Amino acid sequence: MAAAAAAEEEAPGSWRAAAPRKRRRSAARRPRGREAAALGRETQTEADRAVVLRRLQEAAEDLLLSDFWSLALETIDSCLTKHLEQLKAPDGTLLEALGNLHLNSSPDESAVTPGAIPGETLVPGTCRWKCVCYGIGNFATCVIARYQLTFLLLFLEKCRIPRRHCWVYDPLFSQLEIGVLNSLGLTVLSENEEGKRSVDGEPTIFYMPHCGTALYNNLLWSNWSLDALSQMLLIGNSFRGLEERLLGRILQKNYTYIAKILKGLEELELPETSQYTDVFNDTSIHWFPVQKLQQLPTDTWAFQEEPDYQDCEDLEIIRRNKTRDH
């Protein structure tokens, strides 16, 4: 039984933080007062972190066995393969690379990232994407947010994106959740960018499930050029769905950049399954083909005014522009 327990403890495939070294203390000196309280809090934090990591691992096992994941991989491959071709990446589809993966982290990642899993090597010549995630929510307590984060982690592994090349932010993150994300090797942003992040000439995947419309609009504004948009891929609320739900005048007035880009994108919906209806509903992968962008009216790119959401509600992590003239 002891040997079996040890084998189970060392089994690969789990997302756990590296175990901290035990502190040696002499028998003559025991922690007292504030020191004992601090040690107790640290121990409790480590225990809480382990619980969250275990739940993420359980969610990963659940996702990997689902029809949704296998169908989602087909959608992801179809979109990313086209995007790679646009970026003039090396020959071969993403699916060929996916077939050689074992859902593990690369050796160099495991050496520096607590909780990473050894065994994976990067495919030579693989396109080097970056990834940015906004608005994932309280995954320690919310099941929907937990599955959305799990999807992100599996997505990074499948696309061979090192976790340290993924930046995450949500103002709702607790200190516990920030600790978990750090232990997984993700880079937690300390400032609210409000979606205003430029790709800076590097292929970037933005993962923004169920975010507010203004956040998507800000992202487009920050990358409002043919060159920048062609480098970008977005996983989030369906733009076609937004077009159908919002009145045309509201879309044009409040979310100008979404309205302008609708004819310059391709969108593939993630599969709908009853098992994850509340988790991935209305979620699509969007990318911006150069040919479509070139067909937009030339004055499309002339308008680059920063969005102003004074008349909008439910802005979530977007702050209102306080510099507006009275």
Side-chain angles (χ1 to χ4, degrees):
M1 293 292 291
E8 180 180 356
E9 183 68 20
E10 297 299 326
S14 61
W15 292 340
R16 295 174 298 176
R21 295 183 179 179
K22 295 182 178 179
R23 298 181 179 179
R24 294 183 179 180
R25 297 182 181 275
S26 63
R29 184 180 182 278
R30 299 182 183 277
R32 298 179 181 179
R34 293 182 179 178
E35 184 180 358
L39 182 59
R41 288 193 297 270
E42 180 181 341
T43 302
Q44 183 61 48
T45 299
E46 292 174 358
D48 292 341
R49 190 178 301 167
V51 169
V52 177
L53 289 167
R54 175 173 54 79
R55 289 175 177 171
L56 286 171
Q57 175 63 25
E58 292 170 352
E61 294 170 355
D62 189 40
L63 263 178
L64 288 172
L65 294 174
S66 69
D67 291 337
F68 170 81
W69 178 248
S70 58
L71 293 172
L73 280 186
E74 294 179 7
T75 304
I76 291 169
D77 172 64
S78 176
C79 188
L80 290 186
T81 298
K82 293 178 181 178
H83 195 242
L84 283 171
E85 292 172 352
Q86 175 166 287
L87 298 174
K88 299 181 179 179
D91 293 336
T93 66
L94 180 67
L95 191 59
E96 293 173 355
L98 297 184
N100 297 322
L101 299 185
H102 301 285
L103 291 178
N104 297 321
S105 298
S106 58
D108 63 317
E109 277 294 285
S110 63
V112 298
T113 305
I117 314 159
E120 178 182 314
T121 56
L122 288 172
V123 177
T126 299
C127 180
R128 297 284 182 168
W129 281 299
K130 297 189 303 182
C131 185
V132 179
C133 170
Y134 293 128
I136 204 75
N138 292 122
F139 58 88
T141 55
C142 176
V143 174
I144 291 176
R146 189 177 308 138
Y147 272 93
Q148 289 174 345
L149 174 58
T150 300
F151 182 93
L152 172 65
L153 293 170
L154 293 176
F155 180 83
L156 294 175
E157 290 173 352
K158 279 295 186 183
C159 295
R160 299 296 178 99
I161 302 174
R163 292 177 186 170
R164 66 178 181 272
H165 293 170
C166 180
W167 289 261
V168 295
Y169 179 80
D170 194 307
L172 299 179
F173 284 154
S174 65
Q175 288 303 309
L176 169 62
E177 289 165 334
I178 291 174
V180 169
L181 293 168
N182 285 330
S183 74
L184 288 169
L186 302 173
T187 303
V188 182
L189 295 169
S190 58
E191 297 183 6
N192 184 359
E193 300 177 337
E194 300 183 338
K196 300 174 183 178
R197 173 178 281 245
S198 170
V199 299
D200 288 330
E202 298 183 90
T204 306
I205 298 169
F206 290 89
Y207 181 66
M208 303 164 58
H210 296 175
C211 284
T213 307
L215 202 65
Y216 301 113
N217 197 56
N218 275 3
L219 179 64
L220 293 174
W221 169 73
S222 298
N223 294 278
W224 198 243
S225 71
L226 189 151
D227 290 339
L229 289 175
S230 64
Q231 297 274 344
M232 192 172 84
L233 189 144
L234 170 63
I235 302 176
N237 293 0
S238 167
F239 281 17
R240 301 300 180 194
L242 290 173
E243 183 182 21
E244 293 172 0
R245 289 191 298 271
L246 294 176
L247 293 174
R249 60 181 178 83
I250 298 297
L251 190 64
Q252 290 283 349
K253 176 184 177 182
N254 296 335
Y255 311 111
T256 305
Y257 294 96
I258 294 177
K260 287 178 177 291
I261 205 60
L262 288 173
K263 294 183 179 179
L265 61 80
E266 282 197 10
E267 175 180 326
L268 291 176
E269 296 179 356
L270 289 186
E272 293 187 6
T273 61
S274 58
Q275 188 175 3
Y276 301 113
T277 299
D278 295 334
V279 183
F280 301 108
N281 63 303
D282 194 42
T283 303
S284 295
I285 303 178
H286 310 77
W287 72 290
F288 308 90
V290 171
Q291 290 183 341
K292 284 197 171 186
L293 295 176
Q294 290 174 336
Q295 292 172 2
L296 294 176
T298 54
D299 61 353
T300 298
W301 312 109
F303 182 86
Q304 297 190 8
E305 182 177 336
E306 184 172 359
D308 182 349
Y309 304 107
Q310 291 293 330
D311 299 325
C312 299
E313 301 296 333
D314 302 324
L315 292 179
E316 297 184 358
I317 71 174
I318 302 294
R319 295 186 294 265
R320 294 189 184 278
N321 186 356
K322 296 181 180 180
T323 62
R324 185 180 182 183
D325 296 332
H326 295 283

